[in-house]
Each structure stands twice: as structure tokens, then as C-alpha cells.
């Protein structure tokens, strides 16, 4: 299990350690509560005051208010809403979202304090809570007050001064983001290296940060964290690299892409899906069967409403949260879709409590799609009501009975032992927990779960990414001797044999066939650094102690080979939300990584890697315009406008209540490669066809070529649609499509399919059914234009 101190740093994302010397006592200033705050405090955060606004997802005051009365919701939804509301009420000031409430407590205590040590601690804690709560100007005033107070009593030592330079610079940087990237948002805001349309028009935040960081670097010239932030501050002003002092400048070459790529423009604002909130999950799926992909997104703030956006076919999305009956479904760091009852309608799983230890004793939610545009919370009815912190799970038919089961990766801490859970589908709308019997009641800080048949034996296996301890690969060995599909099942830990335990500090993970050899490979990203200086060191090729990613190539014999260095991925990526898809339809899977941690200083670009022929990966972050500096979470690759090119939707925002940011939608500008879309329907296999393996054989000028894909939602933090969008490169024609169905193991071959078309394929039927999809263009706004959404400027 991850040591408590280290786990808390990573889990809570504490501000950089502050050690200010007062009198003869060394005091560590608490960084608010030791858990990540989430969500912004506003009237809409109250369940009783919440109203859904149609049209733009921003916090505009325009739009008609529609409220569905609680009595009209299904009983299960009402009960879940009440549980979640009670949890908020019962935690009081322990609520990680209560930064500003805690700030007021500190302010009241400060008014009564006379002890120098108490005054120092309370004022510092007040400043930190204000910063975490989004009140940057007020935080600046308090940090300056601390500096003046220490100077007045003769305790402003060199170390204390350096720490305060850092904290004050941090508050200035956040103020600059709030006044520009949020209040005067453009399509280039916070995209590194920042272009003209993203330059800050209100400069005081970045100017203030430059002053403090310059002073810090003058005193501590080897401070890589300050050096990195200094370059970012100059970048926001359009003065990078020329005006950065040469001895602190980071060469612009480190941001250059390894391959050309047309720029993907962020159209979340004009399409109406630029939700402004905190870290959360995303799903892109056709929830109502109209052939258009909709969007669902969540945020980990306990008071943040799950949001549902319907694709309107005219290039925009309309919020239908209330109409869908989802009011009161609050929080959730991750979400994913499934079809647990085989009725053909995508259902939704909401995962809650991740990172929060005992405060994370929250229920998950299973939302049944009623097939009429509404959802019902059936968690209790399905016998899935449990109270453990989690943010990761996987749907799989582990026993091959044609019904999807659920594995939930829970987070155990020294204060909260929460074994992982395996829920067997009883085929009647209910589940039975059986992890211990199957050998899967793992105790650890599980951050990612990947499911895939790594040994091609027809049974889905599981990989668990754990933070601070070896990861685990479990091989599905089938029923125990004398057992059956409903009896005890055996999973065997084969991590040592497979050689896939690293990285020790890891987060998202997935199986994918990156080289199209018909065998699933494994990616798992690292998640550890002491401060943002390690990212700078990695960019600059300097030695550091940060955790790097791993790419494991399948050796086809039950073992894997670490090919991270050969593939160009031996990097500090600090990944949270992430997923894979095909940017350019060349038939090789690329991936996008949402980076960061709760620490406000962790302003590092999100990263996009293009798969170059299944041999290595090229960083195309800058070329494609993907280098967002804000925290990146749930990522979904999906062709949202049905033009054959995959777009990318990403949930943005941090963990503290003041670290909100707008979600992004990167529109694919297109390419000349071919594609095919396939929606599989199981008959004996689960109806969503999760776990089905696809091989598309195409004719090329060099001869036949096979492209492989497995039906799933992609990575462990963000959900792609279950219909498969497969790039075919410069194929001349499709020779055949081969489906290996998960329950029967039978191979189904379909021929005479055309490229650049969408087909539905049913298990056991010889012919595929072509489906015509309406296409449309996304509305765009010029890169030089700002989107004004009525955000307050007084921070």
C-alpha cells in the first residue's frame, strides 16, 4: 500500500510544501484539508436550486429554465439524490469543496488570535484556502500580509522569502488564468506554446508572477519549477522566448512536434459543450439511437450535476439533463457506458469517491437507459449499492454467459480498507458480488482497470494499475474444477511471468493492438513527480526522479516486452484522463493524455502521440494544437459530426474548488484516408458486443493488410463510443471484415463492404446493414475572437 505521506501528496495534490520558520519552531503550513477540493461554489451547486439551462453549457444567464419536479423522477433516482445530498450535509467543513467556508473559519479565528505562531498559521491557511477556492486577489492580499508580518517580526528568512515568492507567483498566475483564459476565453487559450489569440489581454497576473519568479530565481538559480513557470508566464504575454532572460530560457525546440499534423480547433464554445467545472469523466455515445453521438460529462465536485448533451444535427448540442431525469445525480470523477440488461440501450455507470479516503465512502450509480430519452437510477434495485472510494471500473463478460459483469477497482488507504469488487450479472437486472471467490478481492490504491484478452484464449483478462505498488495482471482461467458459468471462477495473478508490474506509480492504463499483429499490447502511464520542475527536466533531457510511462509489447506466449524506449515513450507524462483513437485514419491507434495533478503549479501541456506505422510514437502535441496547460481528465475519441474523422472531447479542470476550467472539443480538420464504422449487436454474446474482436482486411497497393480492433470504450479514464470507428489508411478496397464473438468464439466473416460507410452487424447474420448518417459542420469562431460568458472579473 502506498505510504501515507506519499499517497496524500499525490491524492490530495497539496500545494508545494511550505516550511516557514517562526521563532525556534519549524512549522509546516497546512495546505487546507488533505484531500482534493472540487467544483465551484455557486447557486447552481445546490441541489435544491439547480436548474438546467438549454443551449450553451457555459454559466450564462441566458436560456430558459426548466425544472423537473422530484416527484416525477423514478424512486431510485430520488433516493440516490437524497443519499448524495445527505453526504454533503454530514461532512460539513470536511467537504473538500468547502474551501471558502473554511477560509471564513480561519478569518474568524484570526480576529481572536494574539500568539505570533497562531497568527502566522491562520493567515497562511486563510490565504491557501482562498487560493484553492478561486479567490485569487484575496489570496494575494493575505500572502502579502504574511510576508509583511514575518518581516515585521524579523522572521523573513531567505527560505521563507523564497517560499512566499513561489506562493505569490502562483496566485498571480491563477488570477491571470481567471481574467483571461476563463473570462476572455478564445480557442487558443492555454494552448502551449501559446499563439497570438491566446495572449493575455489583462497582463497584471502574468506580470506579477514574473516579478516574483524572477526574484526567486535570483536567489535560487537552479529552481527548475520556477524556471518552467517563468517561461509559461512570458508565453502568456507573447514574449516567449525572446524576452525570457537567456540563462532561464527553455528552448522553444522542446515543444516542436515530431510529425506534421493539421491543427484541431477547439469548438466546445460554439457547439455548446464547454462546461466550466472541475475534474471529471466523459462519454460519447448514441444514447437515443438516432445515429448521432451525444455527450455526457461529470465533475468530482460533490455538488456538481451530471450533464447530458443531445446532438442536434446542426453542429450544436442541447443540454437535456433535466428532461433525461438526471437531476440530483451529483459528483463522479469517472463515468462509462454499458448495456447491462441486453436491451440495446446504452446505460451509464457513475463512479464516486476517488482520492478521498474515508470521505470517499460514496455509492456508485447505475443509470438505466429507458429507451425514451430518460434514465433511472437502479443502483439499489440492481444490488450494486456499496460505499467505497473508486474512480475506475470495467464491464466484461468474464464467465461467457452473454451478460456483462462489473469489476470495480477500489482505493484502499491506511484509514480505509476497500477490497476490489466483482459483480456477476444474474441476468435478471441484479448482480452478485464474488471477487473473493474469483481471486480478485485486491486491496490497493487502484487507479486504473483495463480489460482485454491478452492471450487470445477467448476469455477477458484484467490489468490493475495501482498507485505506489506493483501493478497486477490477472489471467482468466475459467470455472473452477466442476464449476459452471454461474459458479466460482478463477483468475490467476500472472504479473511476474508476464513482466508488467511497472511503473510503480501509475494511473491510467489500457490494452490495444498498437502494431496490428492481432495480439493486445498494454500501455500504462506513470503518475509521480515532486514538483513541476521534473517535467521541465524531462523536456530538457536532464536527470530526474519522475515516474515514466510503460508500453508493453505482447510476445504471444503470455509474456510482454517493455518497448517504451524504442517506441519513444520513456517520458514523464503525469497522465490522468486519457484515451486512444485514430487521428488520421491511417489504421494505427494514436493516444491523447490529459496531464497534471491538483497542485496549481502543475501547468504542463496535455500530450498527443501519433502512432507511426506500429513502430514508434511521435509527439504531435504542438502541431495539432493539443498542448492544453490546464488539467486534463476524461478523454473521448469520437466522430461527433459523422464526417468519418475522429474528434476529441476532454473534460478539463483540477481538484480544488477554484481550479475550474472549460471542457474542450477538438474538431478534426480531416484527412485523405479511408474509414469504416461498425456497430455490432450480440445475440448469444452480450448485446453491446463488448469484447468482440474485429479484423478488417483491406487491399492496398502493397498487398493485403489487416487492421485490428476490440469493442470497448478505450482507456480507463474517458469513454469512446461502443460503435467502432476504424481507419483504413490508403486502402483500395475492403476484402472482408471478420468478427470473433466473445461468448461462442465463432468467427463471422462479412464481405462486399464499401469504404467510408457505416454498417450494423448482428451476430450470426451473413450480411451487414448499411446505415446512412447525416453529416454536418461544426460552427467555428475565429482564433482571434473571444467568447464572453459573463464570468465575474473580480477574483
Amino acid at each position: 500500500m502506498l505510504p501515507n505521506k506519499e499517497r496524500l501528496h499525490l491524492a490530495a495534490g497539496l500545494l508545494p510544501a511550505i516550511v516557514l520558520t517562526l521563532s525556534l519552531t519549524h512549522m509546516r503550513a497546512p495546505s487546507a484539508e488533505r484531500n482534493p477540493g472540487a467544483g465551484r461554489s455557486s447557486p447552481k451547486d445546490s441541489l435544491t436550486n439547480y436548474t438546467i439551462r438549454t443551449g450553451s453549457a457555459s454559466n450564462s444567464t441566458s436560456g430558459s429554465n426548466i425544472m423537473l419536479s422530484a416527484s416525477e423522477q423514478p424512486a431510485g433516482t430520488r433516493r440516490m439524490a437524497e443519499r448524495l445530498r445527505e453526504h454533503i450535509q454530514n461532512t460539513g467543513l470536511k467537504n473538500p469543496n468547502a474551501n471558502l467556508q473554511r477560509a471564513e473559519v480561519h478569518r474568524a479565528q484570526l480576529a481572536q488570535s494574539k500568539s505570533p505562531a497562531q497568527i502566522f498559521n491562520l493567515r497562511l491557511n486563510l490565504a491557501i484556502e482562498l487560493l484553492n477556492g478561486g479567490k485569487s486577489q484575496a489570496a494575494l492580499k493575505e500572502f502579502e500580509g504574511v510576508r509583511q508580518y514575518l518581516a515585521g517580526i524579523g522572521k523573513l528568512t531567505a527560505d521563507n522569502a523564497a517560499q512566499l515568492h513561489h506562493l505569490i507567483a502562483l496566485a498571480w498566475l491563477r488570477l491571470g488564468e481567471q481574467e483571461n483564459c476563463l473570462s476572455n476565453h478564445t480557442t487558443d487559450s492555454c494552448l502551449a506554446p501559446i499563439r497570438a489569440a491566446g495572449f493575455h489581454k489583462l497582463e497584471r497576473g502574468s506580470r506579477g508572477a514574473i516579478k516574483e519568479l524572477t526574484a526567486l530565481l535570483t536567489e535560487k538559480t537552479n529552481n527548475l519549477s520556477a524556471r518552467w513557470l517563468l517561461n509559461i508566464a512570458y508565453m502568456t504575454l507573447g514574449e516567449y522566448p525572446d524576452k525570457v532572460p537567456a540563462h532561464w530560457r527553455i528552448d522553444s525546440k522542446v515543444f516542436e512536434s515530431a510529425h506534421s499534423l493539421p491543427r484541431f480547433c477547439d469548438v466546445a464554445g460554439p457547439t455548446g459543450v464547454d462546461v466550466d467545472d472541475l475534474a471529471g469523466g466523459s462519454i460519447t455515445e448514441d444514447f437515443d439511437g438516432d445515429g448521432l453521438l451525444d455527450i455526457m460529462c461529470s465533475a468530482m465536485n460533490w455538488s456538481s450535476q451530471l450533464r447530458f448533451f443531445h446532438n442536434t444535427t446542426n453542429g450544436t448540442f442541447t443540454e437535456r439533463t433535466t428532461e433525461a431525469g438526471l437531476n440530483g445525480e451529483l459528483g463522479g470523477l469517472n463515468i462509462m457506458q454499458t448495456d447491462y440488461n441486453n436491451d440495446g440501450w446504452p446505460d451509464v455507470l457513475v463512479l464516486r469517491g476517488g482520492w478521498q479516503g474515508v470521505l470517499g465512502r460514496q455509492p456508485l450509480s447505475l443509470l438505466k437507459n429507458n429507451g425514451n430519452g430518460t434514465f433511472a437510477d437502479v443502483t439499489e434495485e440492481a444490488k450494486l449499492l456499496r460505499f467505497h472510494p473508486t474512480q475506475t471500473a470495467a464491464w466484461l463478460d468474464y464467465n461467457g454467459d452473454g451478460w456483462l459483469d462489473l469489476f470495480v477497482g477500489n482505493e484502499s488507504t491506511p484509514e480505509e480498507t476497500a477490497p476490489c469488487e466483482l459483480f456477476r450479472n444474474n441476468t435478471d437486472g441484479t448482480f452478485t458480488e464474488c471477487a473473493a471467490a474469483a481471486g480478485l478481492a485486491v486491496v490497493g490504491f487502484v487507479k486504473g482497470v483495463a480489460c482485454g484478452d491478452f492471450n487470445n484464449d477467448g476469455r477477458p483478462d484484467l490489468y490493475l494499475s495501482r498507485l505506489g505498488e506493483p501493478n497486477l495482471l490477472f489471467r482468466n482461467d475459467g470455472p473452477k474444477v466442476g464449476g459452471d458459468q454461474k459458479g466460482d471462477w478463477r483468475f490467476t495473478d500472472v504479473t511476474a511471468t508476464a513482466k508488467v508490474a511497472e511503473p510503480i506509480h501509475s494511473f491510467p492504463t489500457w490494452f490495444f493492438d498498437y502494431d496490428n499483429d492481432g495480439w493486445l499490447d498494454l500501455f500504462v502511464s506513470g503518475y509521480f513527480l515532486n514538483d513541476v520542475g521534473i517535467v521541465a527536466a524531462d523536456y530538457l533531457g536532464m536527470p530526474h526522479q519522475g515516474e515514466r510511462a510503460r508500453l508493453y509489447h505482447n510476445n504471444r506466449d503470455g509474456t510482454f516486452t517493455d518497448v517504451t524506449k524504442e517506441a519513444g515513450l520513456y517520458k514523464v507524462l503525469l497522465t490522468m484522463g486519457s484515451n486512444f483513437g485514430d487521428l488520421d485514419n491511417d489504421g494505427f491507434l494514436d493516444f491523447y493524455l490529459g496531464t497534471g495533478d491538483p497542485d496549481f503549479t502543475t501547468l504542463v501541456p496535455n500530450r498527443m502521440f501519433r502512432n507511426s506505422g506500429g513502430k514508434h510514437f511521435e509527439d504531435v502535441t504542438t502541431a495539432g494544437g493539443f498542448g492544453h496547460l490546464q488539467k486534463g481528465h476524461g478523454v473521448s475519441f469520437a466522430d461527433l459530426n459523422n464526417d468519418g474523422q475522429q474528434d476529441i472531447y476532454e473534460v478539463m479542470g483540477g481538484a480544488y474548488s477554484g481550479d475550474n476550467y472549460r471542457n474542450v472539443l477538438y474538431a478534426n480538420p480531416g484527412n485523405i484516408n479511408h474509414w469504416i464504422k461498425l456497430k455490432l449487436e450480440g445475440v448469444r454474446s452480450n448485446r453491446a458486443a463488448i469484447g468482440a474482436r474485429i479484423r478488417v482486411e483491406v487491399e492496398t497497393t502493397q498487398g493485403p493488410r489487416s487492421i485490428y480492433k476490440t469493442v470497448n470504450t478505450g482507456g480507463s479514464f474517458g469513454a469512446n463510443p461502443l460503435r467502432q470507428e476504424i481507419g483504413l489508411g490508403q486502402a483500395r478496397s475492403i476484402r472482408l471484415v471478420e468478427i470473433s464473438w466473445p461468448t461462442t468464439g465463432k468467427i463471422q466473416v462479412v464481405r462486399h463492404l464499401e469504404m467510408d460507410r457505416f454498417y450494423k452487424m448482428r451476430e450470426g447474420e451473413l450480411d451487414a446493414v448499411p446505415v446512412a448518417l447525416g453529416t454536418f459542420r461544426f460552427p467555428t469562431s475565429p482564433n482571434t475572437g473571444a467568447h464572453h460568458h459573463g464570468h465575474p472579473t473580480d477574483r
Side-chain angles (χ1 to χ4, degrees), residues 676-688:
I676 189 172
K677 297 182 185 181
L678 301 172
K679 179 64 176 76
L680 306 188
E681 181 182 328
V683 177
R684 291 187 60 190
S685 301
N686 70 88
R687 190 161 177 179

Side-chain angles (χ1 to χ4, degrees), residues 315-337:
T316 63
F317 293 77
T318 298
E319 182 162 6
R320 299 290 301 276
T321 305
T322 294
E323 293 87 339
L326 294 172
N327 278 0
E329 292 289 343
L330 307 178
L333 184 53
N334 197 8
I335 53 179
M336 62 186 65
Q337 75 273 41

Side-chain angles (χ1 to χ4, degrees), residues 74 77 287 296 324-326 329 338-343 345-350 365-379 381-382 428-429:
T77 306
F287 284 106
M296 193 173 287
L326 294 172
E329 292 289 343
T338 184
D339 184 1
Y340 79 97
N341 57 356
N342 280 340
D343 66 354
W345 296 101
D347 312 300
V348 174
L349 182 73
V350 182
S365 279
L366 178 62
L367 305 177
K368 177 180 176 290
N369 187 333
N370 296 319
N372 60 1
T374 69
F375 295 82
D377 192 311
V378 295
T379 311
E381 173 186 326
D428 60 359

